[in-house]
């Protein structure tokens, strides 16, 4: 047996011999089968004795000539399709729309721009690169990757993007990656995470205002799906969009992730404008150490409170806290690692590809997309500002002042926003490290956005 | 629903939505304070009090060894590639 | 291109400019689309020139007032639901039943108790923690996590719990983790693994007896699903329940995993009662070393025998031995690691959540659940005792006596039961390490239970 | 709380007490439920007060006697089934066929032969071992592992084998594992990868010729599915078969992987026959170093060209290049590792099991299978030879001669074929390492085969 | 099916089910003995006979290095965290 | 379709299919040459020019350390197993 490696030729011969034996047997079966035929064509079936017969099963195979082949190959190039194609598709609203080849090309370019943004350092590459590829994939003419039921992207979308599955798995992974210690050590920073949700709700007015422009028709469900971008939470955004306005899913998801990547650009000017140098120099007391027991009880506490008070937010909060409990309990290191790594990575790839797969002309190329881009920016700005303002109000009552720079981290975008707080603080005082203090509002922002999402679901149905 | 009505609805949703968000997080803050006090009273937070010096020590070690960590990481990576 | 990181603002501007260009294009499409409208309401559609028009698509959006919102938010709290809720559901038997809010609360408490049991060291935390979270998740009012078709837990359950998929994947992973060496070195210990199956079959009588109590109605299929708990094999238990009595799946799975965790509590008293100190001191000869070839041939041998003799057990045996063959063959280390780690962990999380998702009032809160808990305990006790008794009988005929303490490991619960054998042995003689000897019956117990499951499927249909 | 581990017995008691309380509650529910009964049998339902009653729900449970049990167990052994069984099944062509037990046995033996081939060092064990197990699994009588909808293998097949899903995931993984550097450094070697596709198209004639033999009926779609074996690319082969001739999927996949494993046996004689010793001694200039930017742009370039020129090949090319871009971009190491390892391994296991699950008598035991085995061999031989011949033709025009031994690597079968080039080269000149030069045609062969597949899909429909 | 009948059925199932379980495992034991003898006769078990000393050696090494292993494990873990 | 027709069809498909395959790969080769020239002109390939010595150095190191790598790999493996 172990000699096999030394005699590969003999092995090959033996295998071929075995297959030949199988053949002899197999013929018996087929000879039997042959008798149960249906209607034989006039020419009979092709074989050596009847070379002019028809090959069985070849009836519906198209015939090609050099000319037809050349024409066919030419007409199935992408170049040709981009110029000539015109397909009738249905918009999410049920209206028929003609999608032209150049629109597909435009979307492919959008896809490559997303890839470009993602591939540049620090722009949420883990998400934007696969989203960009998904966008390109789905718009390839004759690619069929988004087609039901067997297209690659359709399979992925149906598996977990159009429902609760992938977003909640991602939340489990985020929970397993997150250390809530800074929030537990200084619980009042949770209020800054709450304040940032003004970015979510305030944006509703802006979206409503867009309705004054002809061509824009946002109803409240759609407005909520757009406004949640201000929460700076990818999975929550996708979760809400899938429930309230699936046709906007891709656009709001891409906007959310793009602005999360742009947090270092959007936030600092607002932070500087709303704070005085003296405020930016406020030093905060070092955080107390948090015991293991507190870290273990925290996820359970948040989960129980969410069940009692706002159960429509419980799927999001529950999965986040499930992941965090697995992390902190210590006895299930295997599961914790899997949630943080393999499972999170695999689902990230699929969720991102699936989000990208919704970036089709009939869903994306409409006025709503543009307004979503502008409203997303507004939402981030409001969230940043309202966090800072609430911090300043809190400072009126607190003995130990809060550095308002940490309040901008309440938008979530963990841990990018906390790093921005730290960076702007260091500009003013190079010895003042705010990162750990900013992590408190930062992780509270995730909880706050989940609660806001729960309110929307409670009001407008899940 | 007209645009004016939708502004109104947005106002109601903002007012009450923010109320729920703040309400929830304030209750959470109070609850966490309570839990922290109970844990302290029961003495279950000893690991944190003792751990302070230990933990900072281990952090230093980790930072000091970052070259070693990177080297091991690279080696493991290399090993994985060969392994295939 | 590489300068992008240095000029994030410029990049942002460029992107916004590109999007605006896309917008110009996009309007063309929608202007075309606008023409294909249907019936316009009397007021016309809303826009700046017609601010009193109806916003398109807003017809079915509910309106909220402060009062209705407050009422709605209040009535969708968990606290309210636990007191007031009453839903009509169908039991597995098809009868309608009213599920009350307090029953959901009760199940959530049961979920947290399961989490508590799991989180405590050594109580099968890898399985009980996710089962507990699944139980809590599915019972959250207004959470909808168990609802078909898009609920998180429903997706997981349909994907692999209600069919053969996850249990068999777990068996592959267990096979890849198991070293059958001790069994190969001392094959006669396999008989102790067989003997423990009395725990499975003997329990049938107990379950039958429960039918004397009004309200209990176990038929043979249900009795088999409960009795298999005595095999101390989670995936086999789930596999059988999914085939013979799906409505009992969660209850028997939780019972099985709980008792597997309680093996160190259940077994020692029985072991001490049935053995004399002299027996407990029996020293066994060190196991011979097992060659690599034997380890490679063993999984194939067991698999072939199962195909020839009891093919209805072959899915279980086959997957176990597939994993073990991958482990022992050595040339596919990649697959072996994946089966043992990532795949096993991911599927464990999903299987456990999916099992938990079956713990609903209409399935769990009935007399059957209580009897299952007691019968599971009985099954473990019978399995332990019968293993020991058979070992004592074998000792009447064997020259090299078997220490009967290793026979209790025949229940499987790998490797917990073998550790218990070792521990009880050390109490009597601190130099007598039985762990390796006990691994033989321990892994044989897994095979034995799979065979018993095969018998049940052969008789009562798969 | 932390004392729990010290008092496991007390915990057990507490838990049992809690369950008993739950029981008290639970009875209320069921007592209510009992009232909503339907028709009670004449004897009444069984209980302690009516021991002669019928056990509710036991009406349809079969009764067993010792004789019937023994007969049943005997008739459900594999041995019995192999001798006696005869099931009516439908062939892929829709004809009814009787599958006999011995045919299932034969297929199980084929499965074990595949396992044997795979388990021997160097024979694509990562794929052939699971394919072999899949083959065995699906043919186990009474195993039901391939049955719709709940069979283990049916679930796997439906999830990703019968559609685009698993093959494209594998291509992503291969992309993430492949270094295209050698091809970028010496692009003209891409032509050798193109030349090897003669192995694909040339085989069409052989398959057509088989139609002369009575019992063989290959139409063009089937011929393409078989010919693509010459591309030596497992996932592409499966992808094409799933689109053009699903009933041949397993056979062509197994043939493709088997011959990929046999490359070291098939290629060297052809290589030696077609080259002179002087040619085999040609030394090639060391490859220039390739910059990171080139490596990053390469996957995007190939992807864009495929979209513009032959979009029907874009799903394959696109996924390959997605994986490669993730690899080369460097900022998403997490995703790159996941694609190369966990995701690739998990999907490999499933794809292979799913391929194996198609190896049933009704699909495999027919004349087509035998011819596929011979045609696969022919395809590999033509591919090898045509690569070498094109290299010799290119040498007529090139100043820097190409060693024609590297041209055989154009068949793909990465990196086996490149190693064979190196080995045959070393036989002639022990200082002439060709491996890196051979990697160019080797990876180009993957692209070339994907283009050939794209042509087939463009012509015969996807 | 009445309760009495179900007791009877349980009896039949126990009797014959245990028969099958024991039957299968006895055949397995005999088969394994046979396989072991054949392997020994063919000399394929040399790795085991020679391996004995080697294996115990490696076990000692592994145990002795457990601190190193733990350190590397921690380093790798650390590396993974930084890596994200 | 008769057998003769199918031979004919195979011929057409071979001729044109190989044309497409060669066409695509020739365009790819030309495009790659172009990209390489542009990259060189822009000076983006400096890492490759400088990297030459560095890379060969690292390769030697990697090879030299293969024992260490294997040891670490084994240790990590061991660690994983204990970990479960
Ligand atoms: Na947020
Ligand atoms: Na067992
Ligand atoms: Na190829």
């Amino acid at each position: 047996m172990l000699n096999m490696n030394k005699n590969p030729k003999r092995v090959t011969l033996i295998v071929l011999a075995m297959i030949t034996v199988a053949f002899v047997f197999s013929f018996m079966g087929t000879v039997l089968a042959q008798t149960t035929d249906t209607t034989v064509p006039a020419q009979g079936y092709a074989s050596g004795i009847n070379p002019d017969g028809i090959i069985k099963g070849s009836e519906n195979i198209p015939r090609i000539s050099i000319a037809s082949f050349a024409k066919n190959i030419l007409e199935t190039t992408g170049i040709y399709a981009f110029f000539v194609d015109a397909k009738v598709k249905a918009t999410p609203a049920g209206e028929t729309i003609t999608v032209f080849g150049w629109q597909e090309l435009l979307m492919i370019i959008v896809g490559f721009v997303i890839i470009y943004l993602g591939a540049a350092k620090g722009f949420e590459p883990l998400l934007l690169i696969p989203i960009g590829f998904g966008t390109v994939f789905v718009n390839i003419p004759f690619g069929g990757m988004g087609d039901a039921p067997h297209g690659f992207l359709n399979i992925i979308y149906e598996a977990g993007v159009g429902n609760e599955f992938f977003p909640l798995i991602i939340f489990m992974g985020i929970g397993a990656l997150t250390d809530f210690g800074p929030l537990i050590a200084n619980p009042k920073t949770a209020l800054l995470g709450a304040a940032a949700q003004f970015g979510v709700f305030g944006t509703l007015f802006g979206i409503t205002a867009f309705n004054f422009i002809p061509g824009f028709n946002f109803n409240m469900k759609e407005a909520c799906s757009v406004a949640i971008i201000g929460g700076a939470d990818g999975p929550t955004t996708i979760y809400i969009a899938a429930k309230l306005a699936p046709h906007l899913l891709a656009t709001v998801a891409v906007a959310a992730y793009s602005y999360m990547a742009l947090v270092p650009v959007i936030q600092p000017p607002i932070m500087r404008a709303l704070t005085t140098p003296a405020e930016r120099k406020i030093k905060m007391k070092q955080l107390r150490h948090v015991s293991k027991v507190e870290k273990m009880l925290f996820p359970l506490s948040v989960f129980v409170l969410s069940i009692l008070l706002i159960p429509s937010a419980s799927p999001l909060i529950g999965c986040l806290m499930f992941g965090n409990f697995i992390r902190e309990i210590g006895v299930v290191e295997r599961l914790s690692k899997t949630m943080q790594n393999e499972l999170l990575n695999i689902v990230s790839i699929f969720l991102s590809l699936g989000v990208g797969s919704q970036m089709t002309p009939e869903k994306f190329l409409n006025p709503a997309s543009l307004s979503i881009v502008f409203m997303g920016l507004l939402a981030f700005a409001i969230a940043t500002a309202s966090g800072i303002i609430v911090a300043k109000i809190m400072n009126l009552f607190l003995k130990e002042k809060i550095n308002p720079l940490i309040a901008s981290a309440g938008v979530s975008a963990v841990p990018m926003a906390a790093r921005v707080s730290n960076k702007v603080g260091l500009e003013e005082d190079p010895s003042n490290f705010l990162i750990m203090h900013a992590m408190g509002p930062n992780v509270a922002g995730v909880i706050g956005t989940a609660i806001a999402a729960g309110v929307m679901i409670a009001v407008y149905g899940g | 629903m007209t645009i004016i009505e939708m502004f109104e609805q947005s106002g109601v949703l903002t007012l009450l939505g923010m109320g729920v968000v703040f309400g929830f997080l304030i209750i959470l803050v109070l609850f966490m304070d309570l839990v922290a006090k109970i844990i302290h009273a029961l003495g279950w937070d000893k690991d944190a009090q003792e751990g302070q010096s230990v933990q900072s020590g281990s952090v230093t070690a980790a930072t000091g060894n970052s070259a070693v960590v990177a080297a091991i990481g690279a080696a493991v990576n290399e090993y994985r590639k060969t392994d295939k």
Side-chain angles (χ1 to χ4, degrees), chain A, chain B:
Chain A
M1 173 191 168
L2 297 169
N3 301 352
M4 177 171 169
N5 300 318
K6 295 170 194 156
N7 281 308
K9 283 184 206 180
R10 206 201 295 165
V11 171
T12 315
L13 282 176
I14 292 168
V15 173
L16 287 177
M18 292 183 66
I19 287 162
T20 313
V21 171
F23 170 74
V24 173
F25 279 115
S26 71
F27 243 131
M28 301 181 201
T30 39
V31 167
L32 284 174
Q34 299 285 13
T35 60
T36 59
D37 265 338
T38 43
T39 51
V40 178
Q43 294 164 269
Y45 285 126
S47 72
I49 41 171
N50 181 20
D52 294 333
I54 300 281
I55 298 165
K56 214 171 138 189
S58 74
E59 294 78 6
N60 302 315
I61 306 291
R63 268 150 229 238
I64 50 170
S65 65
I66 294 189
S68 75
F69 179 96
K71 184 163 172 293
N72 192 13
I73 281 290
L74 193 79
E75 291 184 356
T76 57
T77 60
I79 296 172
Y80 183 92
F82 293 143
F83 278 100
V84 176
D85 249 28
K87 299 168 200 162
V88 173
K89 298 241 173 173
T91 64
E95 295 160 353
T96 52
I97 191 172
T98 307
V99 172
F100 296 99
W102 62 263
Q103 291 178 315
E104 293 182 318
L105 177 61
L106 185 65
M107 292 309 300
I108 287 176
I109 292 169
V110 169
F112 278 112
V113 169
I114 295 172
I115 294 170
Y116 173 71
L117 290 178
K121 215 171 163 184
F123 271 64
E124 298 277 350
L126 293 171
L127 299 156
L128 289 189
I129 293 176
I131 289 178
F133 270 95
T135 305
V136 176
F137 283 159
V138 81
N139 287 291
I140 297 172
F142 314 113
M145 291 176 83
D147 294 354
H150 286 326
F152 183 66
L153 296 173
N154 178 70
I155 293 166
I156 289 173
Y157 184 83
E158 292 297 325
V161 187
N163 52 44
E164 300 182 347
F165 192 47
F166 290 165
L168 291 183
I169 299 277
I170 300 276
F171 246 48
M172 277 165 44
I174 292 175
L177 280 170
T178 301
D179 177 7
F180 282 101
L183 178 60
I184 303 169
N186 192 4
K188 64 181 172 296
T189 59
L191 300 184
L192 304 175
Q197 308 317 317
F198 272 117
V200 171
F201 291 107
T203 309
L204 290 173
F205 296 95
I207 300 158
T208 304
F210 255 99
N211 281 336
F212 283 120
I213 307 172
F216 289 88
N217 310 288
F218 288 105
N219 63 35
M220 280 304 288
K221 284 189 182 186
E222 292 164 330
C224 286
S225 304
V226 177
I228 200 80
I229 296 173
D233 236 309
T236 304
T237 307
I238 294 170
Y239 184 86
I240 285 287
K243 284 200 185 291
L244 300 185
H247 54 290
L248 299 179
L249 194 151
T251 316
V252 297
V254 171
Y257 283 120
S258 302
Y259 286 122
M260 285 161 70
L262 288 169
V263 151
V265 183
I266 299 169
Q267 290 198 321
I270 302 169
M271 293 159 75
R272 289 192 205 102
L274 292 177
T275 50
T276 63
E279 283 173 334
R280 295 204 287 277
K281 280 182 188 147
I282 293 175
K283 288 219 176 183
M284 294 177 70
K285 216 176 68 177
Q286 210 201 320
L287 291 175
R288 74 170 174 93
H289 273 266
V290 174
S291 67
K292 204 166 170 299
V293 176
E294 270 176 293
K295 285 197 179 181
M296 277 161 47
L297 289 182
F298 178 77
L300 295 181
S301 306
V302 180
F303 187 25
V304 168
L305 286 178
S306 82
I307 294 173
L308 294 178
L309 300 177
I310 177 104
S312 51
S314 285
L316 288 164
I317 298 275
C319 285
L320 187 72
M321 294 306 160
F322 174 37
N324 190 247
F325 184 74
I326 292 285
R327 169 201 174 88
E328 300 297 352
I329 193 68
V331 294
V332 285
E333 188 68 2
R334 269 178 87 103
L335 301 189
S336 174
K337 277 183 194 165
T338 296
M339 279 189 191
Q340 289 175 30
N341 295 293
E342 297 84 25
L343 187 54
L344 181 59
N345 293 346
I346 291 172
V347 173
S348 280
I349 293 171
F350 287 156
L351 179 62
S352 306
L353 284 173
V355 164
S357 79
Q358 298 305 296
M359 298 278 281
T360 53
E362 68 269 26
K363 289 184 191 159
F364 185 81
L365 289 181
N366 54 55
S369 299
L370 185 74
S371 59
I372 286 169
V373 169
F374 285 109
M375 283 302 113
L377 188 56
L378 178 70
F380 268 67
I382 298 175
T384 307
S386 53
I388 293 171
I389 291 165
V390 167
K392 292 173 79 160
I393 295 171
M394 283 170 71
N395 273 349
L396 299 177
F397 303 94
L398 291 173
K399 265 186 217 166
E400 290 182 10
K401 302 298 180 199
I402 293 170
N403 187 320
L405 292 178
I406 71 165
S408 63
V411 298
S412 359
V414 185
M416 182 90 72
R419 281 194 207 137
V420 170
S421 296
N422 192 51
K423 202 176 144 240
V424 177
L426 289 176
E427 285 170 11
E428 207 67 43
D429 174 356
S431 72
N432 194 6
F433 291 92
L434 294 170
I435 182 113
M436 288 314 286
H437 298 286
M439 287 306 294
N442 211 192
V443 298
V446 180
I447 299 174
T449 304
I451 301 294
V455 170
M456 289 171 177
I457 293 170
V459 172
Y460 294 112
Chain B
M1 198 181 285
T2 65
I3 296 176
I4 304 302
E5 283 172 338
M6 191 164 157
F7 272 118
E8 195 192 279
Q9 292 286 299
S10 298
V12 174
L13 195 60
T14 302
L15 199 69
L16 296 165
M18 285 308 293
V20 173
V21 170
F22 267 104
F24 183 85
L25 283 167
I26 287 169
I27 292 173
L28 179 61
V29 170
L30 298 176
F31 192 81
M32 281 159 64
D33 278 336
L34 184 74
V35 168
K37 269 172 203 154
I38 292 171
I39 286 173
H40 188 73
L42 292 170
W44 286 357
D45 56 350
K46 272 174 195 158
D47 68 299
Q49 289 160 11
E50 290 162 9
Q52 226 147 330
S53 56
V54 174
Q55 198 167 344
S56 59
S58 77
V59 168
T60 326
T63 321
N65 286 342
S66 64
V68 172
V69 169
I72 287 173
V76 168
N77 240 11
E78 201 56 47
Y79 169 71
R80 273 195 190 147
K81 277 175 209 158
T82 1
D83 190 47
K84 269 151 224 164

